Amino acid sequence: MGISTDAQRSGNTSYCRSIEALTQIVMHRTMHPYKRFDFPFRFSNEYQKQQEALKVVDAFYEEIIRSKREAYSELPEEDEASKQNFLDQLLRYQENGEALSDKDIKDEINTFVLGGHDTTATALSFTLYCLARHPEVQEKILEEQEKIFGSLENEPQTTYADLQEMKYMDAVINESIRVFPPIPMIGRKLTGDIQLDSYLVYVDRGTVDGCLCYAVDSRCRTAMDNESQDNGLTLPDTMSVVCALYALHHNPKYFSDPEKFDPERFVKDEILPHTHLPFSTGPRNCIGKKFAILQIKSCISKIVRHFKLLPSVPEYDPELVCQITLASQNGIRISLQKRNR
Ligand code: HEM
């Protein structure tokens, strides 16, 4: 958006706390279907908390828009080059009379900040964690870097073309976001009845087999109640479904030894269509996919050229939780050792 929030140094702002509160409330309501009815929810403490958090977030975005407009007024008319980022474009559409209200712009900022920030940070963190635990993979990444940039002593300006050449790094990131999908589940509201084939086994909550985690309709019936005799399953159009991407990625039917971090799966290109969906699929898939991969690649490239990544001492396994994005309750910790270059 072209705005610096200094979030690295001042993470504990009211904005960050409010976003955290909102994600917790959304997750809580997702996992407890009876909490999803709006009318009783309005009388709960969580609703009050949600409204307060929304006010803070709204004020934050209003301030961003206000300060951008102020900066505009100080720019010479012809200085188009300074109006190039995403927020600038949205404001420019508005100035040119397009039907975009301030609320529309705030919604866009919200979608992009929330959709593009924690997701990429999560993917980057877990990929670094995987590299620290797999020195042989890290070594191969380093070899690829040396092939592209020459000696590690060089301090290159990484270009788009360089990033495109990092094919092994692609495989590593793809495998990391298979094992640790930054968005472990997505939701859909059905617009028509859906007949599921019998091979998609439904298990109420936390399935390990299919793509379906749980489905619940407006009367709080679960899909299990409607299961037909022949093992097939019809989901009526009143239902919302949650697709468990994490479960899909860990299904041994599609990934042999699924808990193992093994980038060779992607080097050998042996992935079946629609089994690796960290960015979802279909018309509402992730619009920021290519940008995210470029960001992650450029960070990893720089980090591995300067540091050797090692497991933290003592070693530990992350305790995974879903907070809309995947998170580790006990943190994601690694050690860094400066490389002798
Ligand atoms: C590794 C990083 C990322 C992952 C794993 C990821 C994953 C996803 C997934 C799974 C969805 C689909 C949600 C659904 O189907 O309900 C999605 C949607 C979206 N993502 Fe990403 N995302 C990432 C990075 C980004 C970035 C960097 C941006 C923006 C610059 C972004 C912007 C969006 C937007 C705007 C949508 C909504 C698209 C729509 O509804 O039409 N994402 N993302």
Side-chain angles (χ1 to χ4, degrees), residues 111-112 115-117 119-120 123 177 182-183 186-188 245 277-280 283-289 291-292 295-296:
T111 306
F112 273 82
H117 188 263
T119 44
T120 313
I177 57 182
I183 299 199
I186 55 175
R188 288 290 182 271
L245 303 180
L277 299 179
F279 296 99
S280 183
R284 301 310 294 262
N285 75 359
C286 178
I287 202 171
K289 172 180 172 177
F291 179 64
Q295 270 185 311
I296 298 167

Side-chain angles (χ1 to χ4, degrees), residues 86-104:
F86 180 59
L87 178 55
D88 294 325
Q89 309 266 345
L90 292 176
L91 291 172
R92 204 136 52 127
Y93 282 136
Q94 201 183 37
E95 274 173 13
N96 294 344
E98 295 282 335
L100 269 182
S101 65
D102 273 9
K103 179 173 179 319
D104 292 334

Side-chain angles (χ1 to χ4, degrees), residues 1-3 5 15 57-70 87 91 109 113:
M1 305 289 160
I3 302 270
T5 56
Y15 170 75
V57 172
D58 206 56
F60 181 74
Y61 294 144
E62 248 163 43
E63 178 54 24
I64 288 181
I65 294 175
R66 193 200 57 74
S67 64
K68 261 280 162 193
R69 286 210 176 106
E70 204 173 279
L87 178 55
L91 291 172
I109 302 177
V113 172

Side-chain angles (χ1 to χ4, degrees), residues 27 43 49 111 189:
M27 238 15 253
F43 299 96
K49 259 199 211 163
T111 306
K189 185 152 181 20

